[in-house]
Amino acid sequence: MALVQIRDVYKSFQRDSQRIDVFTGLSLDVAEGSFTALMGPSGSGKSTLLNLIAGLDRPTSGTVRVAGADVHAMSAAQLAAWRARHIGFVFQQLNLLPVLTAYQNVELPLLLTRLSKKEREERVRVALGVVGLDDRIHHYPRQLSGGQEQRVAIARAIVADPTLILLDEPTGQLDARSSQEVLTLLQRLNSEFGKTVVIVTHDAHAADKAKAVLHLEKGVLIERAAVGA
Amino acid sequence: MKIPLVYNVRSVLQRPVSTALTALGIALVVAVFIGMLALASGFRTALVRTGSDRNVLVLRRGADSELSSGLSRETASILAASPHVATGADGHPLVSPEVYVLIPLPKIFDTTQVANVVARGVSDQAWTVRSNVRVVAGRKPESGRSEICVGQRIVARFPRTGIGETLRFAGRDWSVVCHFAAGGSAFESEIWGENEQFMPVFRGQVFQSITMRLSDPGAFAEVKRALETDKRMTVDVHRESDFYVQQSQLLGRLLRVLAFLITGIMAIGAVFGAVNTMYAAVASRAPEIGVLLTLGFHPRSVLASFLLESAIIAAAGGAAGCLFALPINGIVTSTTNWASFSEIAFSFRVTPGLLLAGLVFAVVMGVLGGFFPARRAARVPVVQAIR
């Protein structure tokens, strides 16, 4: 069953007097419980697609449905609440608020729920435990390595138990070892915890970890590859 | 739930120099604001404390101050015989017909500058009628002698006002025999002598005002009607407390207007300081704002968070401004009361209410200065911010 359904999506940007068409009728499904890698050269629309799925950007036309909800039919307030409930997002860098500890950063999505302080604390400790950082909970981002920062970001992305985890080049700024740790963690989240994961990456090694790889080029889906991870 | 306060507090501490400068600007405005209102408050309080609810002040009809009033001995006798007047322990009516004149005295710090000081000739009953007046050093002037008692606030401000010294005015030498306190009221800026001694050397056989204690303070309206309609005299009757409040209004209002005007102009500068600081904060933290919006925090929460941050900086500045202003509390200054053209010395009064007003003023400046930057933060395009 498709968790994400993208139908006939057009997306264009206006840059000065020039119109740039990113997508011209893109359609795509992402299955529930899948681990999908989006690959393609710079400017192919990978990040834009991720932003459309997360409701951070709006298509010029077409529909994006996630878990049955028409993402772009929602108001800004509904969208904010929906995102808090359904989406876990990890960026390439600048993920964490530098003035908050790892614990406080991971707790942020839970502040939008009705959980008690004690329940929040339990969830934060579990999430940081899953990413192997339960001994770093009171560290600030500046006291963590790049790989550890990304793992804290992943802990924050999963702490509210979202429907979908989206990652935009999460290993782009990491060395090989840290990159491997993050990818192994994502595999574990998918296989062990059944999380649906969509990752944008340039890195073929990262894509190898996914169960499915989608290639985008100039906004067009040119290849669907199933990978035996 | 809102973005946690700790995020704002720590973000503020991340940029100590710009935060401190912004807070300092607000602190100076608040200090001036409190200082000027403390001046107005001290002046008003000095005059408010001068009058008593239990006393009535009688002036010639149409006179708006004691200076422009004149009452005959006959009027004084009629008033003393009024059934509404309280009597003292000695059985005498508590009435004080008074001579009120201004005498020019050189100031102690700069003898080329002259100030008008009130010389009030009082009856012996005045010390009872004005229950807040008490001799703090020396003894009361004796009847029939050229002796005076000096209000304690002006002792340090004018030469030859110490006990045992001789002050010369109206062509005579007057021995200073005491200093008196009057609960911080305007009387403390006056020189008191016997009315019968002052009368011949100043304005002849005429009193300027008559103050009397009511046997029933609640009967003021009845007393006023009875005395003002008495065909034997033409007088206006004022409740003493109301009269002195009214005397404070002209200058008091002007001081308050000046306080708001001057600090209002300064506040514009401080608000722009806050605007700059917060715009810089929003610009440098656009990715963080993008993260918060991506996590699902509503743009309104982001707006409130940055407004709160600006208010925190301003409140810190306001608290510093209160601390800057506190030392002026109690400092004695003087000015000319425009209602009586006389020198009045009084203390700056930094009250809890003024400190609270200063803090509120600071927070208002912070919220005003933070609004547009906070609105910009709430409207940050998420996709650009996280790129």
Side-chain angles (χ1 to χ4, degrees):
Chain A
M1 181 190 165
L3 181 69
V4 180
Q5 291 178 313
I6 295 169
R7 291 291 176 269
D8 202 23
V9 162
Y10 285 74
K11 177 67 184 175
S12 55
F13 295 107
Q14 198 70 30
R15 187 167 294 163
D16 299 325
S17 59
Q18 196 183 1
R19 199 177 92 154
I20 300 167
D21 293 316
V22 183
F23 300 126
T24 50
L26 178 74
S27 293
L28 167 69
D29 284 349
V30 175
E32 188 167 7
S34 65
F35 184 170
T36 306
L38 275 172
M39 295 194 74
S42 294
S44 59
K46 305 184 299 293
S47 295
T48 303
L49 182 56
L50 216 57
N51 292 338
L52 290 173
I53 295 171
L56 298 175
D57 205 353
R58 289 179 181 272
T60 309
S61 67
T63 58
V64 177
R65 299 184 81 85
V66 177
D70 186 347
V71 175
H72 302 288
M74 288 186 255
S75 68
Q78 288 170 325
L79 205 50
W82 173 83
R83 210 160 37 232
R85 173 69 193 88
H86 292 284
I87 302 292
F89 209 115
V90 178
F91 310 105
Q92 183 175 354
Q93 55 183 341
L94 298 170
N95 262 301
L96 305 181
L97 303 191
V99 295
L100 301 184
T101 62
Y103 179 96
Q104 290 164 333
N105 266 288
V106 175
E107 190 188 23
L108 280 173
L110 300 181
L111 297 177
L112 297 163
T113 67
R114 292 183 177 179
L115 294 176
S116 68
K117 193 174 186 315
K118 190 167 179 295
E119 288 168 323
R120 292 202 303 270
E121 184 179 342
E122 280 171 16
R123 287 239 200 159
V124 171
R125 287 186 183 279
V126 167
L128 282 168
V130 167
V131 301
L133 287 175
D134 37 4
D135 58 340
R136 295 281 192 277
I137 59 171
H138 297 306
H139 285 56
Y140 287 91
R142 64 177 181 278
Q143 297 170 313
L144 301 171
S145 68
Q148 287 172 331
E149 273 197 61
Q150 284 304 63
R151 280 151 65 193
V152 173
I154 291 169
R156 189 181 62 195
I158 61 173
V159 74
D161 193 23
T163 312
L164 181 62
I165 302 171
L166 304 172
L167 305 98
D168 193 354
E169 305 209 32
T171 59
Q173 299 287 317
L174 303 182
D175 59 34
R177 184 165 168 237
S178 300
S179 180
Q180 184 60 38
E181 284 174 359
V182 167
L183 292 169
T184 305
L185 175 61
L186 293 177
Q187 272 190 313
R188 208 177 132 218
L189 287 173
N190 175 247
S191 58
E192 206 173 305
F193 296 94
K195 291 288 162 196
T196 307
V197 179
V198 178
I199 176 173
V200 161
T201 184
H202 274 113
D203 180 4
H205 177 66
D208 283 347
K209 302 283 182 187
K211 290 178 180 169
V213 180
L214 304 177
H215 282 273
L216 273 172
E217 198 157 322
K218 292 183 180 171
V220 178
L221 202 58
I222 59 166
E223 185 186 349
R224 295 160 192 260
V227 179
Chain B
M1 193 180 279
K2 303 293 176 255
I3 295 165
L5 182 64
V6 66
Y7 169 66
N8 303 104
V9 173
R10 287 189 191 150
S11 295
V12 164
L13 297 175
Q14 288 288 303
R15 39 180 217 283
V17 175
S18 65
T19 298
L21 288 175
T22 306
L24 182 65
I26 289 173
L28 291 176
V29 176
V30 168
V32 171
F33 176 75
I34 293 174
M36 293 199 70
L37 288 182
L39 185 74
S41 168
F43 173 74
R44 186 173 188 278
T45 301
L47 283 169
V48 167
R49 284 179 179 169
T50 304
S52 163
D53 283 344
R54 297 153 67 193
N55 293 345
V56 295
L57 182 80
V58 181
L59 300 178
R60 176 179 56 80
R61 180 164 299 162
D64 55 3
S65 71
E66 289 178 273
L67 207 56
S68 57
S69 171
L71 298 167
S72 64
R73 283 185 184 279
E74 186 191 357
T75 301
S77 301
I78 295 167
L79 291 172
S82 166
H84 300 289
V85 176
T87 51
D90 57 2
H92 287 103
L94 293 176
V95 175
S96 177
E98 295 178 354
V99 175
Y100 180 97
V101 287
L102 299 180
I103 56 171
L105 290 180
K107 290 187 175 179
I108 202 164
F109 300 113
D110 180 1
T111 50
T112 60
Q113 279 199 5
V114 171
N116 286 328
V117 176
V118 172
R120 186 183 292 274
V122 300
S123 74
D124 196 43
Q125 303 299 334
W127 302 89
T128 310
V129 172
R130 268 59 177 269
S131 54
N132 59 348
V133 175
R134 63 188 172 84
V135 172
V136 291
R139 58 160 179 83
K140 278 192 234 173
E142 285 182 11
S143 181
R145 304 180 73 165
S146 298
E147 294 178 343
I148 54 174
C149 197
V150 179
Q152 64 174 5
R153 284 225 195 258
I154 58 170
V155 170
R157 309 182 85 81
F158 294 94
R160 294 189 294 280
T161 51
I163 293 173
E165 292 188 285
T166 301
L167 195 58
R168 185 168 180 81
F169 59 85
R172 273 168 68 171
D173 287 333
W174 303 84
S175 300
V176 179
V177 296
C178 70
H179 294 156
F180 69 92
S185 71
F187 289 136
E188 291 183 358
S189 300
E190 298 183 354
I191 294 172
W192 283 18
E194 191 191 7
N195 52 7
E196 294 298 342
Q197 295 298 313
F198 278 14
M199 199 180 262
V201 297
F202 286 116
R203 297 169 74 173
Q205 296 299 311
V206 65
F207 299 110
Q208 272 64 56
S209 66
I210 297 169
T211 302
M212 53 195 203
R213 170 77 58 85
L214 291 177
S215 53
D216 174 13
F220 171 75
E222 185 189 336
V223 174
K224 180 177 170 67
R225 187 183 47 75
L227 297 181
E228 287 183 351
T229 55
D230 191 322
K231 301 280 188 212
R232 295 172 294 172
M233 54 190 181
T234 52
V235 296
D236 283 333
V237 176
H238 305 270
R239 197 186 280 276
E240 192 187 32
S241 51
D242 294 343
F243 176 79
Y244 283 106
V245 167
Q246 190 262 330
Q247 293 273 298
S248 75
Q249 278 177 350
L250 183 61
L251 188 56
R253 200 171 290 159
L254 183 80
L255 287 172
R256 280 197 297 280
V257 168
L258 270 179
F260 285 107
L261 195 68
I262 291 171
T263 51
I265 292 167
M266 290 176 71
I268 293 171
V271 165
F272 273 108
V275 168
N276 270 337
T277 300
M278 292 309 297
Y279 267 132
V282 170
S284 67
R285 281 152 61 195
E288 296 174 26
I289 297 165
V291 167
L292 289 167
L293 292 171
T294 304
L295 290 176
F297 285 96
H298 193 280
R300 265 201 310 270
S301 296
V302 173
L303 182 128
S305 177
F306 276 84
L307 267 185
L308 182 67
E309 190 165 317
S310 186
I312 289 170
I313 296 171
C322 290
L323 290 177
F324 292 164
L326 266 181
I328 67 166
N329 188 41
I331 290 179
V332 177
T333 186
S334 66
T335 187
T336 300
N337 181 6
W338 292 1
S340 63
F341 304 105
S342 62
E343 184 83 349
I344 173 170
F346 56 94
S347 305
F348 280 87
R349 285 190 76 237
V350 180
T351 62
L354 277 187
L355 294 176
L356 184 66
L359 275 177
V360 170
F361 184 35
V363 171
V364 168
M365 280 190 277
V367 170
L368 284 178
F371 178 74
F372 288 103
R375 195 175 64 163
R376 178 179 286 183
R379 292 177 175 180
V380 160
V382 183
V383 174
Q384 284 177 29
I386 59 177
R387 197 167 279 166

